[in-house]
């Protein structure tokens, strides 16, 4: 994917998710939760979004994934990040496609203000900035099941 292709994809305002989103248990990251949602667009970009949330660890991630390339855009809260240039970014950062380093560079987003413990609020801000219209409902994560522990 070239930088111009990525920028056109990100700027495309026809990207949408029409389904409701529910958080499901993640066996590998217990007590983590996750979801996957198809992204539809008029140009037919091969996209989906995956989300991960761990209430206990206070981590949240949303990743826009291109089926032919992998993650091209993402948001991480609660996880430290160092860019390939060794610049420390911190626990609130976005990944964006770059021809040279793919999605490895990150930056601090000014447009994400909701806290990590508000995954629905963060979702709204992420979708707005990424120009994704979610016409369904994102359900709140289910309460922690203490029997799992």
């Amino acid at each position: 994917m070239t930088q111009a292709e990525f920028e056109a994809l990100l700027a495309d305002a026809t990207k949408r998710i029409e389904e409701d989103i529910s958080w499901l248990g993640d066996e590998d990251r217990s007590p983590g939760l996750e979801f996957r949602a198809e992204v539809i667009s008029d140009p037919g970009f091969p996209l989906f979004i995956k989300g991960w949330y761990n209430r206990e660890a206070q981590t949240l991630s949303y990743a826009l994934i291109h089926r032919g390339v992998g993650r091209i855009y993402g948001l991480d809260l609660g996880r430290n990040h160092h860019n390939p240039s060794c610049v420390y970014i911190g626990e609130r950062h976005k990944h964006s496609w770059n021809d040279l380093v793919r999605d490895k560079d990150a930056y601090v987003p000014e447009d994400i203000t909701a806290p990590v413990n508000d995954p629905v609020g963060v979702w709204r801000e992420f979708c707005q900035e990424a120009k994704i219209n979610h016409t369904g409902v994102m359900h709140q994560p289910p309460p922690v099941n203490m029997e799992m522990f």
Side-chain angles (χ1 to χ4, degrees):
M1 173 174 286
T2 68
Q3 190 68 36
E5 290 169 330
F6 167 74
E7 289 173 10
L9 184 152
L10 195 61
D12 178 60
T14 70
K15 294 187 305 293
R16 61 198 178 277
I17 298 171
E18 297 175 343
E19 62 191 271
D20 290 348
I21 295 174
S22 295
W23 294 92
L24 303 172
D26 177 6
E27 294 175 13
D28 296 333
R29 292 192 176 105
S30 193
L33 302 167
E34 64 183 9
F35 74 84
R36 177 185 166 132
E38 295 298 314
V39 178
I40 303 164
S41 65
D42 290 355
F45 298 122
L47 301 172
F48 64 93
I49 289 187
K50 284 198 74 172
W52 298 271
Y53 178 53
N54 187 318
R55 185 180 283 117
E56 297 298 312
Q58 290 293 288
T59 59
L60 175 65
S61 295
Y62 297 124
L64 180 61
I65 300 170
H66 185 283
R67 284 185 177 82
V69 179
R71 182 179 68 174
I72 58 171
Y73 193 71
L75 170 67
D76 292 319
L77 301 179
R79 291 189 178 111
N80 289 321
H81 180 79
H82 285 87
N83 279 338
S85 63
C86 291
V87 173
Y88 175 76
I89 300 301
E91 292 185 355
R92 179 180 295 261
H93 58 272
K94 276 189 183 171
H95 294 265
S96 186
W97 185 263
N98 176 302
D99 283 341
L100 300 174
V101 294
R102 299 178 57 95
D103 68 339
K104 304 298 183 235
D105 257 342
Y107 61 95
V108 177
E110 300 297 325
D111 56 338
I112 304 297
T113 59
V116 68
N117 62 357
D118 180 10
V120 175
V122 174
W123 173 250
R124 283 190 210 105
E125 292 175 341
F126 177 79
C127 287
Q128 180 178 2
E129 198 274 336
K131 293 182 177 59
I132 298 170
N133 182 22
H134 182 202
T135 59
V137 173
M138 174 180 265
H139 297 282
Q140 290 289 341
V144 174
N145 180 358
M146 295 309 288
E147 292 176 8
M148 293 172 55
F149 308 105

